[in-house]
Amino acid sequence: MRISMVMAMDRNKLVGDRGVMPWKIPSDLKYFKQLTMGKPLIMGRVTFESLGGVLPGRPHIVITRNPDWMHKGVEVVHCLDDGIDAARRYDTDEMMVIGGADICAQAMPHTERLYLTVIDHEFAGDRWLESFSWEDWTEVSRQETDESADGGYRFTYYVLEAAAR
Ligand SMILES: NC(=O)c1ccc[n+]([C@@H]2O[C@H](COP(=O)([O-])OP(=O)(O)OC[C@H]3O[C@@H](n4cnc5c(N)ncnc54)[C@H](OP(=O)(O)O)[C@@H]3O)[C@@H](O)[C@H]2O)c1
């Protein structure tokens, strides 16, 4: 089963701001839904809290160090490897690591495909995808939008595959 990651970042690799996304781009959320539907999601506890609840149609695997943390409809694990093992139990071709920056830093070396939305703008925030470097990836496809598309921002959907490591 392929290990994939889905993230959106700005020009400076910013991904988060005080526990939430720094922007609201409805078409990117729709794209996220299309990509992830039916597939197991692996995420950090902070990212789960930012979702506001369980997203329908996708098993949720949440990583936390807190042995007492639980949430209805969520499988809790205490390290990334256990999250990946849990995702492998589902009968799908792909598992989706969906953030945040902390979990992505740990998952990046294992990630085979990266669905990366790059927003051509500089936002304010406090979490960056520092673990991402363009030179580690080969471009499979890109789809560019213009300012009129959504939210007043220009952005590009990249599909990237890990370069030989
Ligand atoms: N732009 C995007 O595409 C995107 C996507 C997702 C999230 N985000 C944003 O990113 C931000 C959240 O990212 P983040 O880096 O702060 O947090 P995160 O990666 O979502 O979660 C971090 C938490 O995961 C748990 N954790 C991490 N490593 C662990 C390990 N090795 N073993 C056990 N538990 C572990 C810990 O939970 P405990 O503290 O419970 O122990 C840690 O506090 C938010 O602002 C969110 O909106 C952006």
Side-chain angles (χ1 to χ4, degrees):
M1 195 197 282
R2 180 167 54 218
I3 303 177
S4 296
M5 185 181 286
V6 192
M7 289 297 284
M9 68 180 195
D10 82 351
R11 269 184 216 149
N12 301 319
K13 303 189 191 176
L14 183 81
V15 298
D17 181 28
R18 290 166 289 175
V20 293
M21 302 271 282
W23 48 78
K24 282 201 170 62
I25 302 181
S27 59
D28 187 50
L29 295 177
K30 201 169 151 197
Y31 176 66
F32 173 85
K33 185 176 178 183
Q34 280 169 2
L35 282 176
T36 58
M37 190 50 71
K39 298 174 183 172
L41 308 181
I42 300 175
M43 72 198 89
R45 192 265 311 158
V46 177
T47 291
F48 176 74
E49 306 271 5
S50 79
L51 298 179
V54 173
L55 304 174
R58 289 148 280 188
H60 289 41
I61 299 163
V62 174
I63 309 175
T64 175
R65 294 187 178 86
N66 181 347
D68 301 322
W69 192 89
M70 59 175 76
H71 193 285
K72 190 167 179 277
V74 163
E75 179 166 359
V76 183
V77 295
H78 300 291
C79 66
L80 176 66
D81 285 350
D82 286 355
I84 290 172
D85 287 347
R88 286 196 199 285
R89 293 203 313 270
Y90 292 92
D91 186 21
T92 59
D93 57 351
E94 195 171 36
M95 66 182 79
M96 305 300 237
V97 176
I98 64 157
D102 187 357
I103 292 304
C104 287
Q106 298 170 59
M108 200 63 84
H110 307 285
T111 301
E112 299 159 81
R113 178 173 288 190
L114 174 55
Y115 300 94
L116 184 65
T117 303
V118 181
I119 302 147
D120 190 14
H121 192 80
E122 293 183 11
F123 293 86
D126 56 15
R127 288 288 183 281
W128 291 266
L129 200 60
E130 284 158 356
S131 54
F132 171 77
S133 297
W134 285 101
E135 59 267 27
D136 296 337
W137 298 88
T138 303
E139 186 177 320
V140 175
S141 66
R142 76 167 78 179
Q143 189 194 332
E144 293 178 17
T145 70
D146 61 32
E147 286 94 322
S148 58
D150 197 354
Y153 305 114
R154 203 149 45 96
F155 51 98
T156 305
Y157 297 116
Y158 290 92
V159 178
L160 305 172
E161 282 189 349
R165 290 176 174 139

